[in-house]
Amino acid sequence: MGEEIDTKREAALKEAVLKDTALGEDQSAALGAIKELGSIKDPSALDALLEISERARSKVVRKEARKAIWRLKRAGVRATKTAEPDPRDTHSRSEDVSGMGWKGIDTAYLSVVDGDGYRLAVTCTPAAFGAVRAQVFVLGDTEGIHACGERSMSKGEIGDFISRIARGQIVAEVWPKAAVFEVFRHEEISRSLGHSLPMEYFTIKPPDKDLMPEHPEPPAYWVMDRREVKWNPLLLDGSASLLGEEAFRSWLIPEADLAPYIDDLESSEDTVIVVGLKSKEERRAGIISRATSSFFDPERRRLYKRRLEEQAFVLFMTGRKDVAKTALAAAVALDPESGTAPEKHPFASAFVEMSMEFHLRERRQSRVSGVKTGVERGRIKAVYGGIV
């Protein structure tokens, strides 16, 4: 019995020393301490790593601590302490959906956000003789309410109707409150920009706007825990893969926003390598890094953060939970206050590089054939004609 107590004391002392080392100024020693703590499959080691992930001086050390935390959790280790949550992180998954309805609305749908920031929101209300009235809203996050209208149909027709107006974009059935909040959020965008709302909006908009909170959080946080994706750096590290997902296939940065850097990239690729100067790969990486830093200023970081959050919610609601968590991790790290520089953000950097490469190929194709192939953009914005 005494030997067991002594062993536990020695282990506790060792973990305390490792924690102090990880919180010290020597980054190399800190990383070594984290590696050792991460090999100890014990709740107290996990407790120490949780503290390090929040308090360490170096971002590198905090990131490595989060990786170690994730590995221990994957191994089944659970912390003995309950971490004090960041006030911004208090809302986690909402298992109770009883409060997710909205007066008069039976069902609702949201599409993913397209490359221009447009999406569909559909609310369905009962009509006479068992029919359904579908209120369709075309929403743009840099415009507000782009268009809207209403159509009556049978309940059996609603699925085909939504597939037709979505034009290939992913659409999820969502809680009425989620769709209503998006409609009201875009109404406020219209008003803040001084844009006139469509006349139809005033007759088909959802009721009881006064019940909407002043600053409702994105519904992605109703179903996923911000802390879970924040503490799993593997999700952010793999976020560039999102660009290969169907939900992101229309995402492209306009050429005008990257033109000077595309010029530099083209010039760099056409330059003969000179001994003693940077290699072509180094010059390319530098250009992409500068372009990413320039494009993702604080305003754009907030814009794309919200777009990623909305993608995450729709993906989650369609069963793509792993992809949804990756999108949410990318969103959290894109927050201007996250401490992650845009050029170090895997999704942001890959998004800029992909867009630059696309526009560079278009330029070259145009010189050869005189025709640009382009990309299908604005699909949601243009979908409305003749549908309602």
Side-chain angles (χ1 to χ4, degrees), residues 45-56:
L46 182 54
D47 290 341
L49 286 165
L50 287 167
E51 186 174 344
I52 294 163
S53 72
E54 297 294 334
R55 292 182 49 207

Side-chain angles (χ1 to χ4, degrees), residues 112-113 247-248 251 307-316 327:
V112 291
V113 182
F248 292 85
W251 281 41
R307 289 181 182 180
L308 283 162
E309 289 166 337
E310 295 302 327
Q311 300 293 76
F313 177 60
V314 173
L315 288 165
F316 188 95

